[in-house]
Amino acid sequence: MNLQSLAASLPLLLCSFVAANAQSADDLVAKNLAARGGADKLAAIHTIVTSGELRFPGDFKLVYKETRERLDPVNSAVRVDATIQGLTVVQAYDGKDGWRINPFEGRKDAERMGADETRELADQGSIDGPLLAAHVKGSQVDYLGREDIDGTEAYKLRVTQTDGTVFTYYLDPDALLEIRVIERRSIRGAEKETETDLGDYEQVSGVYFPFSLASGPKDSASSDKQVITISSAAANAQVPASLFAMPVQPAAAQK
């Protein structure tokens, strides 16, 4: 092949490469969805309540409970309660606003979360997760090849959301389930990268969810990560809308 013929063929080769990359990403997302339990079973989950333990480095343990409710094809409400010695830290997102209560900071009343923290909690609380919700949210999904994750040649997918937040997913090549997620986002102008290892998948109403989640700064040691261990989970329980709503501060306290 002479140089002129090669130059003429480059656009076709580039188009073929782009098409193959897109096909690979779509194929892996579809396989991940099937591995989770399939679109119908996932869509049938309207609420999910999990309970267990949150352990911080140093063996600091809290009773953990998380409640999620699907509000529409895009958004889920979420509330997280973590309790120790009668004190409960609360973080919640009602589909629009985020709020928190942190008695360890000397605050007993609820306070609104900033826009960046609210988006972070909303992503964490999604029943489908950023990968499987990418299509309806308009996120870009790219296949980045394979990478060794603790001895496993995992498939690597990048999800780029419209606000610039990036999730990098690593899928087990056999189970096609997530084994690691790296999240990169901007919090108050500073870049934050969080690495989460997922495992111990269990079925809840026919859909697989991770029952072990170890997270911390990217590349942090396992001993430096906080670990959520789920002991029980239930789907489609009745959840009052008020659970996610920010408590109204008493009028006397506002004066």
Side-chain angles (χ1 to χ4, degrees):
M1 180 181 291
N2 59 40
L3 291 178
Q4 187 174 6
S5 298
L6 177 61
S9 67
L10 282 177
L12 293 175
L13 292 172
L14 179 60
C15 289
S16 298
F17 173 80
V18 171
N21 182 66
Q23 179 63 36
S24 296
D26 290 344
D27 183 53
L28 285 170
V29 172
K31 289 180 178 179
N32 174 250
L33 176 58
R36 289 285 306 278
D40 292 342
K41 289 181 179 178
L42 183 59
I45 294 182
H46 302 292
T47 66
I48 181 166
V49 181
T50 56
S51 300
E53 178 185 270
L54 169 60
R55 187 176 75 250
F56 287 99
D59 210 31
F60 186 57
K61 300 177 182 178
L62 294 86
V63 177
Y64 183 86
K65 182 178 181 179
E66 181 179 286
T67 305
R68 307 183 196 184
E69 180 176 17
R70 190 188 302 277
L71 302 176
D72 56 49
V74 176
N75 294 309
S76 297
V78 60
R79 173 169 171 152
V80 175
D81 295 78
T83 303
I84 186 172
Q85 297 179 350
L87 297 176
T88 301
V89 177
V90 181
Q91 289 186 317
Y93 171 70
D94 62 6
K96 180 180 179 182
D97 299 311
W99 57 275
R100 66 164 68 89
I101 300 174
N102 191 348
F104 295 102
E105 294 181 350
R107 300 183 65 91
K108 296 181 180 180
D109 298 324
E111 60 177 342
R112 292 196 182 278
M113 300 171 68
D116 293 338
E117 289 88 351
T118 296
R119 283 193 292 271
E120 181 178 28
L121 182 59
D123 284 333
Q124 293 172 355
S126 169
I127 290 178
D128 296 344
L131 178 61
L132 296 183
H135 177 69
V136 295
K137 288 192 173 185
S139 303
Q140 174 70 35
V141 182
D142 296 297
Y143 173 52
L144 304 181
R146 302 180 75 164
E147 184 173 323
D148 182 271
I149 301 296
D150 299 329
T152 297
E153 284 295 311
Y155 293 111
K156 185 177 181 181
L157 291 168
R158 181 180 61 210
V159 178
T160 306
Q161 296 184 328
T162 55
D163 67 354
T165 299
V166 177
F167 294 86
T168 303
Y169 281 81
Y170 298 88
L171 307 182
D172 182 273
D174 299 317
L176 275 305
L177 295 170
E178 305 96 313
I179 57 175
R180 176 171 291 175
V181 180
I182 297 176
E183 174 185 344
R184 187 177 78 243
R185 65 171 63 242
S186 176
I187 301 290
R188 296 187 298 278
E191 186 175 276
K192 176 184 177 182
E193 280 194 288
T194 304
E195 180 179 283
T196 302
D197 291 327
L198 307 100
D200 295 340
Y201 279 84
E202 298 284 349
Q203 280 191 327
V204 183
S205 288
V207 177
Y208 280 99
F209 289 91
F211 273 38
S212 175
L213 304 93
S215 60
K218 185 175 180 292
D219 297 326
S220 57
S222 297
S223 58
D224 294 329
K225 292 181 177 179
Q226 67 176 41
V227 180
I228 297 172
T229 303
I230 303 301
S231 57
S232 65
N236 297 327
Q238 291 295 318
V239 176
S242 59
L243 183 71
F244 307 106
M246 181 174 173
V248 177
Q249 190 175 358
Q254 294 178 356
K255 295 181 179 179

